[in-house]
Amino acid sequence: MPIIEDLLASLREDRPVQDVCIGAFWTAVVSSRCGLASTLRDDDHCHRGPVREAGHLLERSALELSTMVRSNSLLEASIGMAAINSLLEVDENLCIELNAEELIRERGTGKQVAIVGHFPFTPRIRDWARQLWVLELKPRGDELPAEQAPAVLPQADVVAITGTSLINHTFDKLMALCRPDAFVVVLGASTPLSPLLFEYGVHAIAGTVVMDNQAVLRCVSQGATFPQLAGVRLLTMLKGKTEGTRSCTRERSIRGEE
């Protein structure tokens, strides 16, 4: 998992952990700031692979929790990803005001578009994309099983990949399947707003910054889905946009992201 190791190596400072909240849909870790990640679980619900040191996570530093992203336990990896996002220093000068759906539409109209992950805006994409494939681990409707990625992604002009691919350790494999000339977006609140992703062939990073820790922790602990989260801002970082850009802050402009 080269991307995971590079993300961990990019964290400059460690911080004490102030809070860890694992909700039904989201996991939050508070250190320098509040970091979010999707709450993923293994299919086996018989308490297999419990979180190590559960009840004592606040005794560990944020950097120590971040290393849990390497875990084969999806729940532990979710905690690790949230901890990474809590330590990242987000440079808002690298962001523009553009949400992921608009960006995909701008780049994908009349083209072949592949989306890895379920997002609420995908039905609208069918209205303007020449071809749309949606890949999911648990497909529904006309979605395709994730196992078809090797056949689908090389055909796509625009590829949107959920940030949860970093949690389930599929990001590197998915990126390797994308054509060199494809425009690749990584999106969702799990996505680390780090320019490091550009080095892996990503062109746009659409993530989330928490503005109100207490509001987010309250919502997460009560089983909130993304549209129900209060106190968050959405940022989109574009490759090459390093100067003369202003903060992207269309608050809550993407609904229900993974």
Side-chain angles (χ1 to χ4, degrees):
M1 300 176 286
I3 182 63
I4 292 299
E5 296 307 320
D6 284 347
L7 278 170
L8 290 171
S10 73
L11 301 176
R12 297 180 180 178
E13 295 184 46
D14 201 358
R15 289 285 189 275
V17 174
Q18 300 175 37
D19 206 345
V20 176
C21 182
I22 302 174
F25 299 102
W26 296 101
T27 292
V29 172
V30 181
S31 62
S32 298
R33 39 193 294 271
C34 181
L36 285 171
S38 290
T39 300
L40 300 188
R41 300 176 185 82
D42 298 300
D43 289 334
D44 185 348
H45 295 290
C46 297
H47 305 291
R48 178 172 61 85
V51 175
R52 289 166 290 178
E53 301 182 46
H56 300 277
L57 296 183
L58 299 189
E59 298 167 19
R60 303 179 66 181
S61 73
L63 198 55
E64 288 175 323
L65 288 191
S66 294
T67 63
M68 294 175 73
V69 75
R70 297 177 176 136
S71 176
N72 290 325
S73 160
L74 290 177
L75 192 53
E76 287 190 344
S78 298
I79 297 170
M81 194 70 247
I84 287 175
N85 285 332
S86 80
L87 286 173
L88 278 178
E89 298 177 8
V90 178
D91 187 349
E92 295 188 17
N93 291 320
L94 303 183
C95 300
I96 62 171
E97 187 175 359
L98 187 67
N99 69 46
E101 180 182 356
E102 292 172 343
L103 180 60
I104 296 170
R105 180 171 185 172
E106 176 186 311
R107 295 285 183 164
T109 297
K111 297 181 180 180
Q112 301 197 131
V113 179
I115 299 179
V116 180
H118 180 81
F119 294 90
F121 57 76
T122 51
R124 295 192 288 272
I125 296 177
R126 297 189 188 280
D127 295 335
W128 39 263
R130 177 157 57 94
Q131 173 76 46
L132 173 66
W133 300 279
V134 180
L135 297 162
E136 252 292 343
L137 287 172
K138 298 179 180 178
R140 42 189 161 172
D142 54 5
E143 296 174 345
L144 301 173
E147 291 79 8
Q148 293 192 28
V152 169
L153 295 189
Q155 301 182 58
D157 304 306
V158 175
V159 180
I161 300 175
T162 172
T164 58
S165 62
L166 293 161
I167 299 173
N168 63 22
H169 306 158
T170 59
F171 174 86
D172 292 294
K173 293 179 180 179
L174 292 170
M175 289 300 304
L177 294 171
C178 298
R179 296 201 319 257
D181 63 330
F183 184 85
V184 181
V185 183
V186 181
L187 68 161
S190 301
T191 304
L193 282 162
S194 168
L196 180 65
L197 272 66
F198 297 144
E199 299 177 17
Y200 282 80
V202 175
H203 298 88
I205 308 163
T208 300
V209 169
V210 173
M211 303 303 297
D212 186 333
N213 292 358
Q214 293 306 311
V216 167
L217 290 171
R218 182 180 65 252
C219 292
V220 168
S221 69
Q222 295 177 21
T225 59
F226 190 82
Q228 295 174 308
L229 287 182
V232 297
R233 291 166 59 191
L234 304 181
L235 304 179
T236 296
M237 187 179 291
L238 295 177
K239 186 175 183 178
K241 295 290 185 180
T242 58
E243 296 179 358
T245 59
R246 59 195 179 88
S247 299
C248 154
T249 57
R250 180 167 300 173
E251 187 167 325
R252 300 183 62 182
S253 53
I254 307 174
R255 299 293 180 176
E257 284 189 310
E258 293 190 357

